[in-house]
């Protein structure tokens, strides 16, 4: 079944997708200030939601100076830049160590276990485009076959 373009969806669905995208983007922005809350996954989720709710919002996030490259890199290559991996690893480590001191046991180890799982998955992803890969331009997502 082909994916529906945002304008082909009922109004109430577009509103829900836009609200989910806005909430995801807001959560990602809060993650810039709180080390335990990741930014990139929420920005990627926002881009996905915007692709279902509004071509204009999707184009905005894909062309954004800071968010655009990570969204397009993820869509085209399922890649996370090496610098972002290192920053995420350091921030998750600091947050996990802080949780050990601030959260009573045994709950204090839960953030560390979650961060370790996310970190292990993240480091299995490529750092950038594979040789011969082409970029994905903003537009309907997922692209039609």
């Amino acid at each position: 079944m082909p994916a529906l373009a945002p304008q082909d969806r009922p109004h109430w669905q577009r509103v829900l997708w836009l609200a989910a995208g806005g909430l995801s983007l807001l959560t990602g922005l809060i993650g810039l200030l709180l080390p335990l809350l990741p930014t990139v996954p929420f920005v990627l989720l926002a881009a996905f939601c915007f692709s279902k709710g509004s071509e204009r919002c999707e184009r905005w996030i894909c062309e954004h100076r800071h968010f655009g490259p990570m969204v397009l890199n993820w869509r085209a290559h399922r890649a996370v830049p090496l610098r972002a991996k290192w920053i995420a690893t350091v921030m998750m480590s600091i947050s996990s160590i802080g949780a050990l001191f601030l959260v009573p046991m045994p709950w204090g180890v839960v953030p560390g276990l979650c961060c370790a799982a996310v970190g292990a998955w993240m480091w299995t992803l490529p750092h950038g485009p594979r040789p011969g890969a082409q970029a994905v331009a903003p537009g309907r997502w997922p692209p039609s076959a």
Side-chain angles (χ1 to χ4, degrees):
M1 186 162 127
L4 290 176
Q7 67 271 15
D8 296 335
R9 295 182 186 283
H11 179 71
W12 67 271
Q13 284 183 5
R14 290 193 313 269
V15 169
L16 287 177
W17 281 115
L18 279 172
L23 183 62
S24 297
L25 185 58
L26 178 63
T27 305
L29 292 174
I30 292 170
L32 290 170
L33 305 173
L34 298 176
L36 194 59
L37 191 62
T39 298
V40 174
F42 287 107
V43 171
L44 296 175
L45 179 60
F48 173 77
C49 292
F50 289 156
S51 75
K52 303 291 186 185
S54 166
E55 288 179 359
R56 186 181 70 176
C57 290
E58 180 192 19
R59 188 171 39 259
W60 172 81
I61 202 166
C62 287
E63 294 173 355
H64 191 274
R65 189 173 115 203
H66 299 291
F67 303 138
M70 75 175 80
V71 170
L72 295 177
N73 196 28
W74 177 257
R75 286 182 174 180
H77 313 290
R78 293 293 188 253
V80 176
L82 186 59
R83 182 174 184 267
K85 289 180 183 183
W86 278 112
I87 291 171
T89 300
V90 168
M91 297 305 284
M92 287 189 296
S93 299
I94 291 169
S95 299
S96 298
I97 291 168
L100 284 173
F101 292 105
L102 297 174
V103 179
M105 287 299 178
W107 299 108
V109 298
V110 172
L113 293 173
C114 292
C115 288
V118 168
W121 169 77
M122 178 181 63
W123 280 97
T124 65
L125 298 172
H127 305 312
R130 292 175 182 90
Q134 294 180 347
V136 174
R140 289 180 58 186
W141 188 258
S144 21

